[in-house]
């Protein structure tokens, strides 16, 4: 199969560039090793009159990157509008933060259609398409409209919420109808998959048997594919990174103190404010830990044009200042707070330096930081992972110290417990988690999904003549009614 991987953005994987976001870090080795073509946004937009959409195509290991200039008239509504102000909050069960408009939805569908047309230049008789994440929920349907009969798979890197939550998204029915054009839909956890199945069963009244939905598109298989990392490679990188200048400076600055580390995008789903409150509470409950342990919190800004993110950045900065002012000394800063990214090799060294890894999202699809922290540890003297029970990684890393990120006092107690854990217990927990990471690698995730995609597509070829549900209003009707122009 000639594989085309599609995502909103691509990772170029240059040695000295920061890497933020689990999707980019996860797909990079897949493309490098498989020979796939990875198509995504270049980060630039273009006017409608320009004919050539690709800004750049470059080799990446055995594969290639194709970076696309998206249409200027629709990018804002697609990305900051519908994808990240409607879908993202809903997928993370924050219906209260949904902010979107009819125009945003139309732009989202236009960009999905634009991407489908751009992908046709790569199509071959043995091509398979693998679509990544919530930015392109409708891409499978758009490809079917263009006559694509080859296998099309979709993988969701975020959670999928309960039906009651997803119903808060405008046009949810049309979007999920469009998703049934995929041959295979993959989720991070069994709960995510069950939530989707429940919606399809209750809303559409479609037959579902053994994870297969039958619609007029054909058969869509739903399955769970928890994403992994290359744990052994990451462990080697962590051991080498101890001598990196950034890591060496951090180690010297600690002066024998212990370190906890958190690495996140600056996003409300990551539980950053609760985490800071927990450390504040810990130093209050355990004053002997003052001056003996500090938190390094790396929070890379993202989506700054969205109000909720600007508010969060201000709130986190204020909280850090308050906690440092309350507990700090002239020669000791409790929380070291950085708003910048680091490349993977440096992060590996930072993880290895920290005695505690704090991964406490309120809701997360998987969270590869949790897996990277474990893999980076020194086997002879490993640190302890404190992990939210609402991260997908908790289903696999069950010997981490699992916490409820809404329980501030509980988190404070568990972080203090992690700092006092004896070596024998730390090694046992680490070895159990590392065994899991080695059994479920990024390579296994890739191979399992592609195998299932080939099997699913062979079961029943989809119909491309009609939408999945005859009684649903289609996007084509919406486009005609609103007079929305297409880009050609």
């Amino acid at each position: 199969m000639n594989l085309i991987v599609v995502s909103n953005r691509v990772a170029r994987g240059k040695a000295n560039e920061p890497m933020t976001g689990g999707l980019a870090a996860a797909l990079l080795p897949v493309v490098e090793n498989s020979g796939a073509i990875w198509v995504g946004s270049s980060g630039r937009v273009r006017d409608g009159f320009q004919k050539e959409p690709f800004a750049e195509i470059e080799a990446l290991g055995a594969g290639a990157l194709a970076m696309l200039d998206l249409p200027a008239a629709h990018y804002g509504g697609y990305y900051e509008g519908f994808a990240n102000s409607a879908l993202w909050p809903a997928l993370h069960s924050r219906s209260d933060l949904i902010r979107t408009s009819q125009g945003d939805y139309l732009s989202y569908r236009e960009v999905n259609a634009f991407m489908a047309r751009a992908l046709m230049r790569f199509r071959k008789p043995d091509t398979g398409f693998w679509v990544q994440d919530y930015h392109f929920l409708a891409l499978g349907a758009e490809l079917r409209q263009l006559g694509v009969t080859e296998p099309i798979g979709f993988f969701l890197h975020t959670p999928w919420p309960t039906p009651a939550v997803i119903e808060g998204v405008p046009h949810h029915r049309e979007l999920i109808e469009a998703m049934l054009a995929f041959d295979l839909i993959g989720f991070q956890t069994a709960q995510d998959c069950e939530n989707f199945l429940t919606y399809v069963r209750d809303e559409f009244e479609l037959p579902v048997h053994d994870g297969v939905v039958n619609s007029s598109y054909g058969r869509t298989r739903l399955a769970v594919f928890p994403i992994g990392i290359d744990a052994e490679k990451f462990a080697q990188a962590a051991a080498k990174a101890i001598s990196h200048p950034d890591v060496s400076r951090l180690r010297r600055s600690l002066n024998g103190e212990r370190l906890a580390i958190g690495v996140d995008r600056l996003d409300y789903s990551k539980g950053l404010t609760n985490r800071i409150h927990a450390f504040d509470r810990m130093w209050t409950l355990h004053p002997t830990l003052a001056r003996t342990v500090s938190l390094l919190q790396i929070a890379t800004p993202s989506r700054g044009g969205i109000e909720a993110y600007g508010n969060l950045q201000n709130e986190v900065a204020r909280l850090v200042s308050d906690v440092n002012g309350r507990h700090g000394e002239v020669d000791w800063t409790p929380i070291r707070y950085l708003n910048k990214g680091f490349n993977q090799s440096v992060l590996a060294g930072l993880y290895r330096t920290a005695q505690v890894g704090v991964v406490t999202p309120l809701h997360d699809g998987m969270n590869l930081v949790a897996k990277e922290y474990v893999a980076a540890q020194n086997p002879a003297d490993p640190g302890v992972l404190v992990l939210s029970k609402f991260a997908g990684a908790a289903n696999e890393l069950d010997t981490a110290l699992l916490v409820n990120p809404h329980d501030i006092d509980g988190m404070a107690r568990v972080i203090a417990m992690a700092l006092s854990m004896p070596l024998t217990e730390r090694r046992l927990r680490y070895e159990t988690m590392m065994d899991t990471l080695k059994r479920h690698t990024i390579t296994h995730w890739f191979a399992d999904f592609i195998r299932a995609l080939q099997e699913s597509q062979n079961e029943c070829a989809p119909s491309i003549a009609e939408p999945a549900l005859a009684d649903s209003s289609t996007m084509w009707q919406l486009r005609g009614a609103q007079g929305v122009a297409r880009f050609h």
Side-chain angles (χ1 to χ4, degrees):
M1 178 187 289
N2 286 307
L3 186 64
I4 298 173
V5 178
V6 188
S7 66
N8 177 65
R9 61 191 178 91
V10 299
R12 304 176 82 157
K14 295 184 178 178
N16 297 319
E17 289 186 356
M19 180 82 69
T20 59
L23 185 152
L27 289 180
L28 194 65
V30 167
V31 176
E32 286 180 322
N33 298 325
S34 71
I37 300 171
W38 185 1
V39 183
S41 169
S42 65
R44 296 181 293 270
V45 296
R46 73 180 187 94
D47 294 325
F49 63 85
Q50 294 175 330
K51 296 298 183 183
E52 178 52 56
F54 284 110
E56 190 175 357
I57 299 177
E58 63 182 46
L60 180 68
L65 302 179
M67 286 155 285
L68 182 69
D69 294 349
L70 296 183
H74 291 289
Y75 184 79
Y78 147 76
Y79 183 74
E80 290 189 346
F82 197 78
N84 286 307
S85 294
L87 289 175
W88 179 268
L91 293 170
H92 291 85
S93 299
R94 289 298 305 270
S95 301
D96 57 307
L97 295 178
I98 293 175
R99 305 286 187 274
T100 193
S101 68
Q102 175 76 354
D104 289 342
Y105 178 66
L106 293 173
S107 289
Y108 179 87
R109 293 299 300 252
E110 283 294 333
V111 170
N112 274 244
F114 177 89
M115 178 62 77
R117 294 194 297 275
L119 292 174
M120 297 302 286
R121 70 185 60 196
F122 297 113
R123 183 189 180 198
K124 298 177 181 178
D126 59 347
T127 291
F129 298 87
W130 189 7
V131 181
Q132 309 289 325
D133 229 6
Y134 63 100
H135 307 87
F136 293 117
L137 297 183
L139 185 53
E142 299 289 356
L143 287 168
R144 298 299 185 206
Q145 289 286 348
L146 295 176
V148 171
T149 57
E150 290 78 27
I152 310 175
F154 175 82
F155 184 79
L156 183 68
H157 292 258
T158 71
W160 186 272
T162 61
V165 173
I166 202 66
E167 286 168 6
V169 176
H171 307 286
H172 60 89
R173 183 180 173 90
E174 293 156 22
L175 275 177
I176 297 174
E177 172 189 335
M179 291 178 70
L180 297 178
F182 293 113
D183 295 292
L184 175 65
I185 301 177
F187 300 90
Q188 296 277 27
T189 72
Q191 185 61 62
D192 298 331
C193 188
E194 181 58 34
N195 287 343
F196 188 92
L197 272 172
T198 300
Y199 178 99
V200 170
R201 188 183 296 115
D202 295 349
E203 181 73 17
F204 294 152
E205 299 182 352
L206 290 173
V208 179
H209 300 288
D210 296 327
V212 177
V213 180
N214 288 282
S215 72
S216 52
Y217 276 115
R219 292 161 60 92
T220 300
R221 180 170 294 281
L222 310 177
V224 178
F225 303 90
I227 194 168
I229 64 171
D230 187 335
E232 292 182 340
K233 182 178 178 181
F234 203 86
Q236 294 167 3
K240 292 178 182 177
I242 289 297
S243 60
H244 189 281
D246 287 343
V247 180
S248 296
R249 285 198 301 272
L250 172 63
R251 293 168 68 88
R252 288 194 301 269
S253 73
L254 291 172
N255 295 318
E257 296 173 27
R258 287 170 294 174
L259 182 71
I261 189 170
V263 178
D264 308 86
R265 279 190 311 101
L266 192 55
D267 189 284
Y268 48 77
S269 69
K270 302 302 182 181
L272 292 173
T273 58
N274 287 15
R275 185 181 307 167
I276 293 165
H277 283 306
F279 274 87
D280 182 20
R281 188 68 174 149
M282 182 192 73
W283 285 309
T284 300
L285 293 173
H286 304 279
T288 57
L289 291 177
R291 301 183 65 91
T292 68
V293 59
S294 58
L295 168 66
L296 171 60
Q297 178 60 60
I298 298 169
T300 310
S302 66
R303 303 166 188 160
I306 299 174
E307 181 181 3
Y309 287 82
N311 293 340
L312 176 65
Q313 186 165 11
N314 293 335
E315 183 181 6
V316 172
R318 179 185 59 78
L319 280 174
V320 169
S321 178
D322 289 349
V323 173
N324 284 342
R326 185 159 41 251
H327 298 287
E329 303 289 349
V330 293
D331 59 345
W332 179 62
T333 302
I335 301 178
R336 307 174 184 215
Y337 181 54
L338 301 178
N339 286 136
K340 62 179 183 179
F342 292 86
N343 65 51
Q344 289 293 96
S345 61
V346 174
L347 282 177
L350 299 179
Y351 292 142
R352 195 178 181 94
T353 301
Q355 284 72 38
V356 179
V358 188
V359 182
T360 55
L362 305 180
H363 203 182
D364 221 338
M366 177 54 66
N367 198 300
L368 294 181
V369 168
K371 296 186 174 186
E372 291 172 350
Y373 176 79
V374 172
Q377 295 310 295
N378 178 356
D381 187 19
V384 179
L385 175 64
V386 176
L387 178 62
S388 167
K389 63 175 66 176
F390 303 125
N395 294 319
E396 298 173 89
L397 304 180
D398 54 2
T399 56
L401 294 182
L402 300 182
V403 296
N404 175 359
H406 301 284
D407 180 359
I408 304 302
D409 282 3
M411 280 200 292
R413 289 192 298 269
V414 170
I415 294 166
M417 182 192 308
L419 290 162
S420 63
M421 186 178 291
L423 177 60
T424 301
E425 183 178 353
R426 285 190 278 123
R427 281 180 174 171
L428 181 61
R429 290 175 181 271
Y430 159 79
E431 289 166 1
T432 302
M433 290 187 286
M434 197 63 175
D435 285 345
T436 298
L437 296 183
K438 290 178 179 178
R439 289 197 308 272
H440 304 287
T441 67
I442 185 72
T443 303
H444 291 129
W445 171 76
F446 170 77
D448 290 347
F449 190 95
I450 297 304
R451 185 184 309 112
L453 177 59
Q454 291 171 322
E455 292 172 355
S456 295
Q457 205 271 342
N458 289 338
E459 289 175 354
C460 183
S463 165
I464 60 173
E466 55 182 320
L469 298 169
D471 62 349
S472 174
S473 60
T474 69
M475 195 57 214
W476 309 110
Q477 293 170 331
L478 275 172
R479 285 188 181 118
Q482 298 295 325
V484 176
R486 280 182 167 276
F487 284 81
H488 295 286

